Amino acid sequence: MPPRPPLSGAADPSPDAFPRPIWGSSAAGVVMLVALLSGIRFWAAGALGLAADEAYYWIWSRNLALGYFDHPPMVAVLIRASTAVFGDSELGIRWIAVLLGALASLGVWRLVFRLTGSMRAALAGAALVQGTLFLGAGSMLVTPDTPLVLFWTLALLALVELWRTGRGAWWIAIGLAIGLAFISKYTAVFLGLGVLIWLAVVPELRRWFASPWTYAGGAVCLAVMAPTLWWNVSAGGASLTKQFGRAVPQAFDPRFVPEFVAGQAALLTPLIGLLVLWGLWVVVRDAVRNRAAGEVLLAATTLPLVAYLVWYGLFDRVQGNWTACLLPASITAAVIGALKLPAWRPARIALTISMRGSVVVGVVLGLLVMAHAAWRIVPLAADPTSQLSGWADVAAKLEKAAVEQGAVAIGVGSYTLNAQLRYYGSSVPPVVQLNERARYLMEPTPDVALLRRGPILVVAENRREAQVLAALRARFRSVERAGSVERHWRMPLIAVFGGSYVDTLFLFKVADPIGDGFPDIGPLR
């Protein structure tokens, strides 16, 4: 089968027809931009403390398994490989994530070029993706989205090659990429759904339903997924139940939808968000009109997840990073939209200005976020970057307090606190989460006899103090307050205005558990 013509219908637009972004108009400029940002991100990855989830996944990486309570195992494998090179430091945990953030430009460049045939458009896409906060702030953190974005992108590239070349052997690569995406994060089911929609909607692709190559790719995908599925069965469906249980509607609360939209605008940055919005409109419009394979592929692998998250937002909060896997396709759609600007002059001018300034604005915003995470440039009441600071000092103070209290262990009531204290502490005495033990099926069971002998120094976050105290009084006969420890920003730039204080951890000395076995204090909100 001969290769298809470019989606745009033109080899390369004239400079006047395509508003190229500043810092994204030449290959040398894009390479320099990516290299510079990657260098800064490598510094930030080593200078900033771990987020709670990163420390949690680091615990997983010390105990590799086929699955975990929250997610499939790929993030643990990634961290294990990362730390095998540079050790268990913050940079050692994150360096592969930073490298993959740089390679995202290569993936988007290839995707745009194979869909449009335009080198100018491909370079613009490679620059645009670096201008988002998804990469500007997110690529220095390692989460399940890190490998998911990688394999989602590889799947899209393989699907485009299948369409371009007509070679069925690409189904093996497609199946492998989707399978690896699934064992990175269960969100990959939407990628599989998108492929089925793509095949069904595009007339010329329906022949693949009768090809053995398609089913060979499906078999490869299932083979990759099988160990994680088997682990879920053996663990009583722990991980799948937790994640897909989110799909069950709770109380109707539509205020989360505008919050989701605002969050996406912030993570894309407003200018790139406007370009993505227009690009998705162009892609969907052309997909409906022409059923062209390129446009349908982008729409089918993007819109189902977006629609689900909007629906989910009618009942509960949607985390901004849940759309990270859509970034390559969204940026590709934005560039395609820039190739087809509207005739209405005000809209055309707005989109042109957005394209021209998007990378500069996005890069500056990303650098400001990193600088704030390090130096607290602006004192904010609710600051998500504050979780990156102060844990080494807190862990040392808590271990000292535990020794003074004669405690045999430090107990906590949340996985986030457990993760930070285990990463930054010496494990003397050991840190034990006194609830949600299903999170630690991959580890040996804590020494129950030691915990029952007591006493235990229990640590509670400020926001959970009352809940933890009530739970402790219901589970231990002896409960007494044992002071508090403050957590502070490591190096605030404007301490004179905002100070270095972050929050307070409250301490309780408990002993003599009620009932037999592990002293589980039960779930906390």
Side-chain angles (χ1 to χ4, degrees):
M1 178 179 291
R4 272 64 176 177
L7 181 149
S8 64
D12 224 357
S14 67
D16 294 335
F18 181 72
R20 290 180 291 178
I22 301 171
W23 295 351
S25 58
S26 69
V30 173
V31 170
M32 290 178 61
L33 173 67
V34 173
L36 176 62
L37 291 178
S38 297
I40 295 172
R41 290 167 189 162
F42 275 117
W43 167 81
L48 300 177
L50 294 185
D53 282 355
E54 291 181 290
Y56 182 45
Y57 304 141
W58 171 80
I59 293 174
W60 292 4
S61 75
R62 302 299 90 194
N63 303 271
L64 292 181
L66 296 175
Y68 299 92
F69 179 72
D70 303 81
H71 292 291
M74 186 58 74
V75 67
V77 175
L78 184 69
I79 294 175
R80 185 65 169 265
S82 184
T83 55
V85 178
F86 291 121
D88 290 323
S89 66
E90 289 91 346
L91 180 60
I93 289 171
R94 292 167 167 163
W95 73 269
I96 290 181
V98 176
L99 179 62
L100 291 177
L103 292 177
S105 282
L106 181 62
V108 172
W109 172 84
R110 180 66 179 176
L111 185 61
V112 174
F113 182 72
R114 290 297 281 159
L115 284 175
T116 67
S118 167
M119 182 59 69
R120 290 194 184 100
L123 289 173
L128 278 179
V129 74
Q130 294 295 327
T132 67
L133 290 185
F134 276 111
L135 285 188
S139 67
M140 62 184 179
L141 306 176
V142 58
T143 71
D145 293 306
T146 305
L148 175 65
V149 172
L150 169 65
F151 296 122
W152 194 295
T153 304
L154 292 176
L156 290 178
L157 291 170
L159 287 162
V160 171
E161 291 303 320
L162 172 75
W163 168 53
R164 285 292 185 207
T165 66
R167 296 174 184 168
W170 279 106
W171 278 112
I172 304 301
I174 294 165
L176 179 62
I178 295 177
L180 291 171
F182 180 85
I183 66 171
S184 299
K185 197 172 182 180
Y186 299 127
T187 309
V189 297
F190 287 95
L191 177 58
L193 174 63
V195 173
L196 293 176
I197 294 173
W198 185 55
L199 295 179
V201 169
V202 180
E204 67 187 88
L205 298 177
R206 291 173 189 159
R207 68 184 185 89
W208 289 114
F209 282 119
S211 170
W213 282 112
T214 308
Y215 299 96
V220 170
C221 181
L222 289 175
V224 175
M225 294 165 54
T228 296
L229 294 174
W230 177 85
W231 178 89
N232 269 278
V233 171
S234 65
S239 186
L240 289 173
T241 300
K242 173 177 169 56
Q243 294 300 333
F244 289 103
R246 297 176 186 268
V248 180
Q250 304 297 321
F252 183 72
D253 192 352
R255 66 190 170 93
F256 293 117
V257 174
E259 178 185 279
F260 167 60
V261 173
Q264 295 307 296
L267 288 170
L268 286 169
T269 69
L271 296 183
I272 295 178
L274 180 62
L275 293 168
V276 168
L277 193 62
W278 168 251
L280 288 175
W281 161 252
V282 169
V283 164
V284 172
R285 180 196 66 194
D286 292 352
V288 172
R289 287 179 180 175
N290 308 321
R291 296 194 180 185
E295 289 100 329
V296 174
L297 176 63
L298 295 176
T301 56
T302 302
L303 296 185
L305 178 56
V306 172
Y308 166 73
L309 293 177
V310 170
W311 174 82
Y312 184 88
L314 295 174
F315 306 95
D316 204 349
R317 174 167 283 109
V318 179
Q319 300 300 323
N321 66 290
W322 289 357
T323 60
C325 56
L326 303 182
L327 185 62
S330 298
I331 295 298
T332 301
V335 174
I336 290 173
L339 289 167
K340 303 178 181 182
L341 293 175
W344 189 46
R345 183 173 176 80
R348 189 181 189 91
I349 292 173
L351 290 168
T352 299
I353 292 173
S354 294
M355 180 60 98
R356 291 285 293 164
S358 56
V359 177
V360 174
V361 171
V363 167
V364 170
L365 289 175
L367 294 176
L368 285 174
V369 170
M370 281 189 281
H372 175 74
W375 298 303
R376 198 183 194 186
I377 296 174
V378 179
L380 302 174
D383 191 338
T385 66
S386 66
Q387 67 171 306
L388 307 177
S389 288
W391 287 107
D393 182 57
V394 164
K397 290 179 178 178
L398 290 177
E399 289 176 355
K400 180 180 178 181
V403 171
E404 292 173 350
Q405 295 288 339
V408 299
I410 296 174
V412 298
S414 70
Y415 82 91
T416 55
L417 193 51
N418 179 66
Q420 294 284 22
L421 296 182
R422 286 181 60 176
Y423 178 77
Y424 285 104
S426 66
S427 297
V428 180
V431 178
V432 179
Q433 186 170 341
L434 299 178
N435 57 359
E436 296 185 316
R437 293 307 307 171
R439 293 183 179 276
Y440 308 101
L441 295 175
M442 72 286 185
E443 291 186 319
T445 303
D447 187 341
V448 175
L450 177 70
L451 296 176
R452 295 190 65 82
R453 186 166 67 246
I456 303 171
L457 183 68
V458 178
V459 186
E461 302 99 318
N462 192 4
R463 62 191 176 92
R464 288 195 174 107
E465 178 195 7
Q467 296 179 58
V468 171
L469 180 58
L472 292 175
R473 286 173 172 166
R475 193 67 177 85
F476 293 88
R477 293 183 178 87
S478 174
V479 179
E480 57 185 81
R481 291 187 177 272
S484 63
V485 171
E486 290 186 350
R487 183 163 65 91
H488 288 263
W489 213 282
R490 182 166 49 181
M491 41 186 178
L493 185 65
I494 51 173
V496 65
F497 298 113
S500 64
Y501 172 80
V502 178
D503 62 11
T504 300
L505 302 173
F506 293 93
L507 311 183
F508 303 93
K509 182 179 179 181
V510 302
D512 196 5
I514 299 171
D516 299 326
F518 182 85
D520 196 316
I521 63 174
L524 303 174
R525 293 194 305 274

